[in-house]
Amino acid sequence: MRPTRLLALTVEETTDRYADLIRAKTTTGQLSPGTAEVYIRDVLTFSALAGPHRVLDELDGEDIDSVLLAFARKPDARRRTPTTAPQSAASQARFRRSLSAFFRHALLSGWVQLDPMPAATVRARQRGDLRTERRALTREQAGGLITAARSLAAAPPDTGRRDDQRTELRDALTVVMLATLGPRVSELVGADLEHFFTNDGIRYWRVLGKGGRTRDLPLPPPVAALLDAYLAEGRPLLDRGREPRALLLSWRGRRLARGDVQPAIDRVLSRVAPADRRAVTPHGLRHTTATHLLAAATDLDAVRRVLGHSDLSTLTRYRDALPGELEAAMRIHPLLPP
């Protein structure tokens, strides 16, 4: 039931109240911390773009269109170097969904008389299930990144820094896990030491995924070896007792934050040969895992379980076309002799 009177609250007041509600839902288990963080980030971005001191009920469809366009042009804050590229269609669609959820709550709470979202006309154009800009790295680009990470892990320690500031093994492990296992960045930074175990000689990672779901991922031997090296030589230098459970720690001994992951990728990327170097985000590495597993004809359900999805149809959004894959498929056609 809607409230009987309208509350003339500013955009800033309403988004702050909504963010508090999202945090409360995280505490009660209704939302995962990673999902809540995205919702909160989106409504705070909306507040900044719409004007924090405007009355929320005064916003109409044209105002929402202006906000959506401003967000589309907003540079990707995850990248170190400035970029003029617009936000991806997927990011724009997610932002719009976050605003729709916010205004549904605003309507029920008496902050607005009418929901302005149906009057908004700006929508991101998506080309089928493929993005305008490829997210997945090619095999050569991904191979160069993984090779750079492994060489970084094997390099002699940098004597120019204190022992507790050496993060080479941690950065290498971060990149290799993202590129080969495809976890969400929230799953990686949320990993604890107790989530890794051995069964019949195989190392596993018990991933705590969205919606409270868990999955046990077997680690490929090179990944398991890098994990062991980090635990034996890298993490003890970082562990100052503040986060005894967390797998990945900052040099100050705190659990690695989501925002720390992109700089780690960039540090490894700087060691890749220019011909194979291409900027990539943590989510782009998740796309890379899915794309190459699917291109290698890995069982669809196995790929779904690796990524932690409940529905096979979701895999279509993680599929990029790869150069030469159609030619390769025709060369090994199952109905024709070699």
Side-chain angles (χ1 to χ4, degrees), residues 219-301:
L219 303 183
V223 180
L226 186 54
L227 172 65
D228 290 338
Y230 166 70
L231 294 178
E233 304 170 29
R235 189 181 183 280
L237 299 177
L238 303 174
D239 188 357
R240 303 166 83 177
R242 296 182 184 177
E243 285 283 359
R245 297 175 55 201
L247 172 69
L248 301 176
L249 299 173
S250 71
W251 71 269
R252 296 181 182 276
R254 300 189 180 96
R255 183 185 294 274
L256 211 64
R258 292 170 62 106
D260 298 325
V261 175
Q262 184 65 56
I265 296 173
D266 293 340
R267 284 192 290 271
V268 176
L269 196 61
S270 67
R271 301 171 65 93
V272 178
D276 293 330
R277 185 187 305 159
R278 204 196 82 198
V280 67
T281 64
H283 206 65
L285 291 178
R286 179 170 168 83
H287 276 259
T288 298
T289 300
T291 292
H292 288 284
L293 286 176
L294 290 169
T298 306
D299 178 75
L300 287 178
D301 192 59

Side-chain angles (χ1 to χ4, degrees), residues 134-138 141 278 284 287-288 291-292 320 322:
R134 177 197 302 278
R135 290 190 178 184
L137 299 180
T138 64
Q141 291 166 344
R278 204 196 82 198
H287 276 259
T288 298
T291 292
H292 288 284
D320 278 337
L322 293 173

Side-chain angles (χ1 to χ4, degrees), residues 116-182:
M117 292 303 296
T121 60
V122 172
R123 292 183 182 275
R125 180 184 178 190
Q126 299 192 52
R127 300 181 181 180
D129 290 322
L130 299 181
R131 290 141 300 279
T132 305
E133 178 186 356
R134 177 197 302 278
R135 290 190 178 184
L137 299 180
T138 64
R139 183 182 294 273
E140 292 74 21
Q141 291 166 344
L145 185 64
I146 293 171
T147 298
R150 297 178 69 181
S151 66
L152 177 63
D158 182 355
T159 56
R161 287 187 295 169
R162 297 190 337 227
D163 286 350
D164 61 354
Q165 293 182 342
R166 295 175 185 165
T167 60
E168 293 87 354
L169 275 167
R170 186 207 65 194
D171 290 351
L173 179 65
T174 298
V175 168
V176 169
M177 291 181 75
L178 285 170
T180 60
L181 304 176

Side-chain angles (χ1 to χ4, degrees), residues 71-89:
F71 177 79
R73 300 187 186 106
K74 188 173 178 290
D76 191 338
R78 295 171 297 185
R79 300 197 184 273
R80 276 186 164 182
T81 55
T83 176
T84 57
Q87 295 280 335
S88 69

